[in-house]
Amino acid sequence: MRIADPDIKLRRDYPKFLSLVMASALLFWPYRIKLKQSLNGRERLIIIADFMDLLNVLPLVSNSFQQILTNLSEKERLVLEAMRGQDCWTYSELARVTKLSSSLLRHKIIPSLEMKGYVIVERECKPHRIELAKNPENLNIDVSNIREKALKMINEAVALLLLSGCQIVKSEISPDMASIQENKPEIWHFSKMPNLQAFQAKIRPNQASFRFGTLAQR
C-alpha cells in the first residue's frame, strides 16, 4: 500500500503495522508457507506472511489510518457526522447529540474544526451558531487492486529463499489448531511460482534477497 504524500506519523506507525502483519502470520502459521534455513549449523524457521495477513490486520488499523490521512480525530468526525442534516447548531445541541461535554466542544473540538475549514462559527449572536462548511472525506482502504502484485512479490521472495538453500517445511494442522481458522485461508499453488532458474542470474551463491514480501521469523 503506497501513499503519495505520507504523513510523518503514518511513516512512524508503519513498523507497528508490519509487526501486526507478522503477528497474524505467526498466529495462523499452519496455513502459511514455511521454510527451513540453516545458518552456522543452526536451523531457523521462516514463516511467510501472505495477503490474508494484510486483510486480517486492516480492520485493526483502518480507523487509525483514517484519522491520520484526514487529519481528523474520532471525536471530530463524530461531531461532523452529527451536524449533517441540520443547518445551524449550538454547543448545547451538539453536546446533547454527541454525548460530548459542551466545554470540550467549545474550547477544543469546534475551534479545531473551524481552523481546518470544516465549520463556520457565528460569534456575533448569542448563543454562538455553528454551521457545517464541508463534509469530511470518507476514505476506504481498498487493497483488492494490489492482490495480484502482492502474490507475485511473495512468490518471488519464496523462490529467492529456495535458491539460497532454504527448504519448504510441510506441517499438519493439529485438532487444536484447526479450531483457529481464517475466513478464507489462502491457497498457494507452487506450480504458479516463477521458474527458479530465472532468478539464478539475479543473485550470487549463498545470497538471498529479503526485500520481497513480509517475512515473520519463528
Side-chain angles (χ1 to χ4, degrees), residues 45-109:
L45 184 66
I46 299 177
I47 300 173
I48 307 297
D50 64 24
F51 195 75
M52 277 301 301
D53 295 305
L54 176 63
L55 298 182
N56 290 339
V57 167
L58 280 181
L60 303 177
V61 299
S62 60
N63 189 45
S64 176
F65 278 8
Q66 274 208 1
Q67 291 183 32
I68 296 172
L69 296 174
T70 61
N71 194 28
L72 290 172
S73 69
E74 188 174 354
K75 291 180 180 179
E76 289 173 345
R77 291 190 68 89
L78 174 64
V79 170
L80 292 176
E81 291 294 332
M83 292 183 68
R84 291 182 177 182
Q86 184 172 320
D87 294 335
C88 294
W89 294 78
T90 63
Y91 293 111
S92 59
E93 289 173 340
L94 283 175
R96 184 172 62 254
V97 173
T98 62
K99 309 302 181 183
L100 299 173
S101 70
S102 180
S103 176
L104 178 65
L105 290 166
R106 180 184 299 271
H107 299 293
K108 185 174 180 180
I109 296 179

Side-chain angles (χ1 to χ4, degrees), residues 34-46:
K34 295 171 286 296
L35 299 103
K36 181 172 61 177
Q37 184 182 53
S38 297
L39 289 175
N40 301 322
R42 298 183 61 183
E43 290 187 349
R44 66 172 179 172
L45 184 66
I46 299 177

